[in-house]
Amino acid sequence: MVFDRKTLVVPNNTKFEEKTIVTNGDVVIGDRCLIQFGIKTDGRIFIGEHVIIDGNLDATEDIRVDIFSNIGGSVKSGGNVYFGEKVKVKGKLSLNGDLDVGDSVEIDHGFEAKGWINIRSPIPVIIYVFIYLMQLLKMGDRKSVV
């Protein structure tokens, strides 16, 4: 089946429990979605930008959460976890793999990672502008060869 942003696909054997959606395989959630359940799967979870999830995330493999998303519960992963910039987690984060987080990520109740932890911090804009201006000044400093 081809991925279509306008189509909701609920796989067979998916269960909507009181506070959790339990399914098999990968879960893909598009940008700007509101889900008032938690998600539990034996695959991976991919979450787009500006998504709000009111429950817990639980995956046996990797979890990827894009920028400006809010998770209202805890996050548990059997693999690696990637959080984009400005992601907020109201619960605890626990994972068995590597953790890769962007700038200004908030995890309210701490985290436990068994692998490497990589915190990406972009160069402040003022330093970038300064480096750019220095390179422009160096270009004007060359002597002409006659």
Side-chain angles (χ1 to χ4, degrees), residues 114-128:
K114 307 252 189 233
W116 289 95
I117 299 171
N118 182 23
I119 301 171
R120 286 175 279 107
S121 181
I123 297 176
V125 175
I126 192 72
I127 293 175
Y128 175 76

Side-chain angles (χ1 to χ4, degrees), residues 42-101:
D42 62 357
R44 301 174 294 178
I45 298 176
F46 300 96
I47 298 175
E49 299 176 3
H50 298 276
V51 173
I52 299 171
I53 296 180
D54 287 339
N56 299 328
L57 294 180
D58 188 354
T60 57
E61 294 184 33
D62 297 348
I63 295 176
R64 177 182 169 85
V65 181
D66 215 341
I67 61 174
F68 296 103
S69 294
N70 293 320
I71 310 299
S74 296
V75 177
K76 182 179 178 185
S77 173
N80 301 327
V81 173
Y82 166 83
F83 287 151
E85 294 180 3
K86 310 272 187 203
V87 170
K88 295 179 183 173
V89 178
K90 302 261 189 224
K92 182 179 180 180
L93 169 65
S94 59
L95 61 138
N96 290 333
D98 299 339
L99 175 61
D100 186 3
V101 296

Side-chain angles (χ1 to χ4, degrees), residues 106-143:
E106 296 178 16
I107 303 170
D108 288 351
H109 295 287
F111 66 93
E112 178 182 341
K114 307 252 189 233
W116 289 95
I117 299 171
N118 182 23
I119 301 171
R120 286 175 279 107
S121 181
I123 297 176
V125 175
I126 192 72
I127 293 175
Y128 175 76
V129 171
F130 179 72
I131 293 170
Y132 181 73
L133 289 174
M134 290 298 295
Q135 292 300 319
L136 287 177
L137 289 172
K138 286 181 183 178
M139 286 186 353
D141 208 17
R142 296 186 181 137
K143 295 179 181 179

